[in-house]
Amino acid sequence: MTRTAAPAPAAASGTAPADARVPARRLLPLAAQHVLAMIAAPVSTVFLTAGTLGLAPGTTASLLSAVLVLCGAGALLQSLGVWRIGARLPFVMLPGGAATALFLQIAQDHGTPTAAGSVLLAAALLIAVLPLYARVVRLFPPLVMGVTVLLIGIAMIRVAARLVTGPDGEGEPRAVLLAALTVAATVGAYVLLRGVWRQTAILTGMAAGVLLAVVTGLGAFTPAPGSGFSLPALLPYGTPRFDVLAALPLLVFSLTTLAEITGQTVLNSETVGRTPDPGRDVPRVARADALVSLVGGLFGTSLMVTSAENIGIGRLTGVRSRFVTAAAGALLIGVGLATPVSRALAGIPEAVVGGSSLVVYAVIAVMGVEMLHRADLSGTGSMAAAPALAAGLLPLLAPGLYDGFPGWARTVLGSGVVAGTLTAVLLTALLGRSGRRDGDPEPDPEPDGAETGVPGPRGPG
């Protein structure tokens, strides 16, 4: 489970650290740090999407604008809260890296309108299952979540590689070299930078890749035309199409997010000195995720997810106010609506995006390994994980394996994530394994007797 942080001391005035107001002269630089720490995730996710789907530069710029605005709106919603939506904790929101992988898989197999419809279905499902939180979350212990996230990471590495090699899988040497240099720059930035700047390693590596492309001639930087401010395009892929079978990967994934939401909410509460109350706060976090994702589906994005990764900044600065992340949200909205910024970012070479994405999605795979490490793989545990991994890897290693099956079977079995996850859920239930080590806490089925909470894993931004 999530590591417990020591509670923060209350402010001198008696105000809880999360509710403390920050002077205006400090608010902007503190908010800018949060933006710098998280902006690499939306940028790399958008360009991975654009490269995979072959979007035009103008559409890419519009999609990036939409994602940045939604990230900002999500941070505002989670930080300030409206009614029972948003936990009023210093959270930021990102496009889910693992969710994007599944979105792209659906788009490639069934078309972008179906992928957009799948996002709407998954967000609606997340809202619908909140009253059943305690029962649903037990289907996704660390063993199941580890299998799911590992398979997502592996599948996404394959997709990211296509940005470098092209759809035929035969990459030009200069594109492969540019991607390798981008990866090297990213690793170098992570090793050399310290503190909050280390969290910008992906963005720094991407900037270095663009610079190397221009200086060496390995690639071209061609921003999309446009200036001023503009709104993101509504329904960029056309009218969404709803297909429950095609949407299964995202539907299953939306259920798994419940466990991570719980862990992040408890961690964030403890970090800012608030007594954790999953029964109250977890549903609020989940509702905000679902609401922003519903809007995102209309603007061409995949599921948006709340992230606690910026907690480290609060620890470094000693400032744990939710008004700082709210200000960061306002900054993101401004950047998203600034057309020159999004159109300039749209000119990044595909090989650079591919190199950055390889790092991002390899990290997802590593997260899956870490989750499996927290599970008990001795005895029947390994007999649950091994067939599940085999079921998930078969569609990747033998893509034509299920070609002779009926359409519904190809949809379910042909998705490595769905096949692997369902196999893991079934086997852990049949073998009587929870996938947890002895002593790991289980979620309270009815935290306050009023409202149930929601845990789940979704991968980094």
Side-chain angles (χ1 to χ4, degrees):
M1 185 79 180
T2 315
R3 187 183 309 154
T4 301
S13 63
T15 302
D19 300 323
R21 300 279 179 171
V22 178
R25 67 180 183 279
R26 298 184 60 207
L27 189 61
L28 183 59
L30 288 170
Q33 286 186 114
H34 283 272
V35 172
L36 285 173
M38 56 79 68
I39 200 169
V43 170
S44 60
T45 298
V46 167
F47 292 118
L48 177 62
T49 301
T52 303
L53 301 180
L55 302 181
T59 306
T60 303
S62 175
L63 182 61
L64 178 60
S65 176
V67 168
L68 292 176
V69 169
L70 289 169
C71 286
L76 280 168
L77 192 57
Q78 294 289 22
S79 300
L80 301 181
V82 177
W83 187 55
R84 296 163 70 188
I85 304 173
R88 298 186 181 181
L89 287 167
F91 276 123
V92 295
M93 191 170 285
L94 301 170
T100 299
L102 300 177
F103 174 85
L104 293 177
Q105 175 190 320
I106 296 170
Q108 289 181 313
D109 293 342
H110 304 280
T112 49
T114 301
S118 299
V119 173
L120 300 177
L121 289 173
L125 177 64
L126 182 56
I127 295 175
V129 301
L130 286 179
L132 304 174
Y133 147 69
R135 296 178 183 177
V136 172
V137 73
R138 287 192 175 93
L139 296 175
F140 301 97
L143 188 149
V144 175
M145 294 194 306
V147 168
T148 300
V149 175
L150 178 56
L151 290 173
I152 289 173
I154 293 172
M156 211 54 213
I157 290 171
R158 183 187 180 196
V159 173
R162 294 290 179 89
L163 293 176
V164 181
T165 65
D168 58 1
E170 298 179 2
E172 296 184 8
R174 67 180 202 168
V176 175
L177 178 58
L178 181 56
L181 291 172
T182 302
V183 172
T186 303
V187 174
Y190 185 82
V191 171
L192 297 175
L193 296 178
R194 292 290 182 270
V196 64
W197 295 104
R198 172 174 279 186
Q199 298 181 44
T200 67
I202 297 292
L203 196 61
T204 302
M206 190 176 289
V210 173
L211 181 61
L212 287 169
V214 173
V215 171
T216 63
L218 293 174
F221 177 62
T222 53
S227 60
F229 290 79
S230 66
L231 294 175
L234 183 66
L235 300 178
Y237 312 127
T239 304
R241 179 173 173 268
F242 300 101
D243 183 333
V244 174
L245 276 179
L248 266 180
L250 272 178
L251 295 175
V252 171
F253 179 78
S254 71
L255 298 179
T256 69
T257 64
L258 298 180
E260 188 182 9
I261 293 175
T262 294
Q264 289 184 339
T265 302
V266 170
L267 173 63
N268 206 344
S269 297
E270 292 175 337
T271 300
V272 301
R274 178 187 293 182
T275 301
D277 188 350
R280 178 195 64 199
D281 293 336
V282 171
R284 292 177 176 180
V285 173
R287 288 190 195 104
D289 279 6
L291 178 61
V292 176
S293 294
L294 282 171
V295 177
L298 299 177
F299 285 93
T301 77
S302 185
L303 293 175
M304 304 293 293
V305 297
T306 293
S307 173
E309 65 180 13
N310 283 31
I311 285 178
I313 298 177
R315 289 173 174 169
L316 287 171
T317 62
V319 178
R320 299 167 187 184
S321 170
R322 57 192 174 94
F323 297 103
V324 173
T325 49
L331 278 178
L332 284 166
I333 292 175
V335 171
L337 295 177
T339 303
V341 175
S342 58
R343 291 185 178 270
L345 292 172
I348 297 176
E350 280 192 3
V352 172
V353 178
S356 296
S357 300
L358 285 171
V359 176
V360 170
Y361 295 114
V363 169
I364 290 182
V366 171
M367 286 178 61
V369 173
E370 291 176 344
M371 290 178 182
L372 285 173
H373 179 68
R374 294 201 297 270
D376 183 0
L377 295 179
S378 62
T380 54
S382 62
M383 288 308 297
L389 286 173
L393 291 173
L394 277 173
L396 296 176
L397 301 176
L401 183 64
Y402 302 113
D403 285 353
F405 284 62
W408 66 267
R410 289 199 305 272
T411 300
V412 175
L413 299 176
S415 167
V417 175
V418 172
T421 301
L422 293 180
T423 302
V425 168
L426 179 62
L427 289 178
T428 52
L430 289 177
L431 297 174
R433 304 289 296 187
S434 69
R436 297 184 184 87
R437 289 186 185 277
D438 293 338
D440 277 359
E442 293 199 28
D444 186 351
E446 303 225 351
D448 273 343
E451 211 176 349
T452 50
V454 190
R458 35 232 171 138

